[in-house]
Amino acid sequence: MGRLISGYAVSQLIYAAAELGLADRLEDGPKSGAELARAVGADPDLLSRALRGLAAAGVVAYDGDGRFRATPLSRCLVSGAPGSLRALARCGDESYQAWGHLVHMLRTGETAFDRCFGTSRFEYLTQQPAAAAVFNEAMGAMLTQNAAAIVAAYDFSRFRTIVDVGGGRGALISSILSAYPAARGVLVDTPAVIADAEAHVRSRGVAERCTLVGADFFESVPAGGDAYLLSQTIHNWDDAHARRLLQSCRRAMAPGGVTLVIEMMLPPRFEGTPADYPLVMTDLQMMVMMGGRERTEAEHRALFHSAGLTCRTVIRTQSPLVILEAGEGPGG
Ligand SMILES: C[S@@+](CC[C@H](N)C(=O)[O-])C[C@H]1O[C@@H](n2cnc3c(N)ncnc32)[C@H](O)[C@@H]1O
């Protein structure tokens, strides 16, 4: 219990390691606390003690001669490495502060992040470009890991125009357009994120086939697409907002079009086993940061139904994400 009670300390040590870029500095060999402190501009005694904590938690290894070295865990925090979690860890300061308001949220229903920062998560990101850059990088890095599994699991060949709604910097739409050279894409996100997306889409070589649109997706999304993707976007919202988002897509869909919700999915029954840990914690992260939630298949189906859509197919991928395909009209 003592370890669990001080779990926030490990989380903050990892945040500090990510923020200071310690893992990058260990890539070319072991270093003492003083060497690392010089490299990252920190106090040598204090950083050495923090490194002892990271070693005790298994994030770095201690050589016994005063030097710390990289481990498979610390390599997850190396900048720019495939699947790097550094940007995600760098979001840890805001998460930490928001989680401090959990009891208030449980008592009142007010979202912990909003209580802490005086505004919603996405409004905050609009106002804080540096934090937004880190958040968008974190989302892009995680999605890049899963995009191949999504492209492999679903046949997009029948769609001429694919609209990625809340698509961030375009990691998913770029992967789909690369795999389907005849398709055209539309990337929709807030104007601030879209301003940042062009270079990313260009670097993927699909800029000529991808239109970038800054919009509030609750108001409207560009009309006439054959498929509307909502990747890990519905789970950011409570049912009322999620319904409005699905309704925006339904209104915009071309006749015969589909909406594809891509999310992790809660099992129908909660078993309370250690295997539930990642999903349950993600559900709580959505709750604390945005008042959102993860959902079961039945909850997704009910949400589609309330927005005038019918879920027709649920497709598993070789990743934690599933694809729920919905269209207008009767179905399963
Ligand atoms: C959790 S991210 C998901 C990004 C990407 N689809 C993925 O799978 O990683 C949710 C996205 O919704 C965007 N977003 C939030 N509110 C929005 C709004 N009102 N209008 C348009 N985009 C919005 C955010 O900027 C963010 O890029």
Side-chain angles (χ1 to χ4, degrees):
M1 180 47 82
R3 274 176 183 250
L4 289 175
I5 288 172
S6 62
Y8 65 86
V10 176
S11 170
Q12 281 300 289
L13 282 168
I14 292 171
Y15 163 67
E19 194 62 30
L20 295 173
L22 294 180
D24 289 353
R25 307 290 176 162
L26 290 177
E27 275 305 273
D28 58 355
K31 293 197 175 49
S32 68
E35 285 173 311
L36 282 167
R38 250 195 318 280
V40 303
D43 178 272
D45 176 56
L46 301 180
L47 187 68
S48 300
R49 289 164 63 195
L51 283 158
R52 285 196 324 224
L54 286 164
V59 177
V60 298
Y62 183 59
D63 263 356
D65 61 355
R67 296 194 306 170
F68 298 90
R69 66 183 151 77
T71 67
L73 269 186
S74 73
R75 292 211 171 90
C76 298
L77 300 177
V78 171
S79 329
S84 173
L85 297 174
R86 182 179 177 207
L88 184 67
R90 290 184 68 204
C91 297
D93 184 34
E94 291 145 15
S95 297
Y96 171 73
Q97 291 188 55
W99 274 83
H101 297 263
L102 175 63
V103 174
H104 171 83
M105 181 170 192
L106 295 177
R107 287 209 171 110
T108 66
E110 185 185 5
T111 301
F113 185 96
D114 300 19
R115 166 76 175 184
C116 179
F117 289 91
T119 186
S120 72
R121 174 77 164 135
F122 288 115
E123 194 49 47
Y124 171 87
L125 290 174
T126 301
Q127 293 161 10
Q128 304 282 339
V134 175
F135 175 80
N136 294 331
E137 189 184 335
M139 293 300 107
M142 287 196 295
L143 184 57
T144 302
Q145 285 296 94
N146 292 326
I150 294 167
V151 172
Y154 190 87
D155 180 6
F156 291 90
S157 63
R158 68 185 197 275
F159 306 132
R160 271 179 312 169
T161 304
I162 302 167
V163 187
D164 191 355
V165 180
R169 291 172 171 179
L172 179 57
I173 192 69
S174 297
S175 294
I176 295 171
L177 293 179
S178 299
Y180 293 92
R184 299 197 64 79
V186 182
L187 177 66
V188 187
D189 209 291
T190 60
V193 174
I194 286 298
D196 202 23
E198 186 171 357
H200 292 267
V201 174
R202 195 160 291 288
S203 74
R204 299 288 304 271
V206 294
E208 278 65 40
R209 287 187 288 129
C210 193
T211 309
L212 307 184
V213 178
D216 178 353
F217 56 34
F218 292 119
E219 296 302 322
S220 69
V221 296
D226 304 303
Y228 286 77
L229 311 180
L230 287 161
S231 165
Q232 295 176 95
T233 294
I234 287 289
H235 75 166
N236 295 153
W237 303 101
D238 62 19
D239 284 355
H241 283 87
R243 183 175 310 119
R244 279 176 61 194
L245 187 42
L246 289 172
Q247 285 167 337
S248 286
C249 294
R250 195 203 67 207
R251 280 195 303 271
M253 278 172 6
V258 297
T259 294
L260 301 173
V261 165
I262 303 171
E263 292 285 358
M264 300 208 287
M265 203 160 66
L266 288 174
R269 270 165 35 101
F270 174 61
E271 301 290 347
T273 68
D276 293 326
Y277 188 92
L279 251 176
V280 166
M281 288 301 165
T282 306
D283 176 57
L284 290 173
Q285 183 73 1
M286 294 306 121
M287 177 180 105
V288 164
M289 300 299 277
M290 286 156 293
R293 63 188 310 137
E294 300 299 335
R295 294 178 173 87
T296 63
E297 182 178 332
E299 287 166 342
H300 277 292
R301 283 182 182 276
L303 197 57
F304 278 129
H305 188 72
S306 73
L309 291 162
T310 301
C311 180
R312 300 211 180 105
T313 323
V314 179
I315 298 151
R316 307 233 157 234
T317 72
Q318 296 287 329
S319 80
L321 300 171
V322 300
I323 304 169
L324 297 108
E325 184 195 285
E328 282 188 298

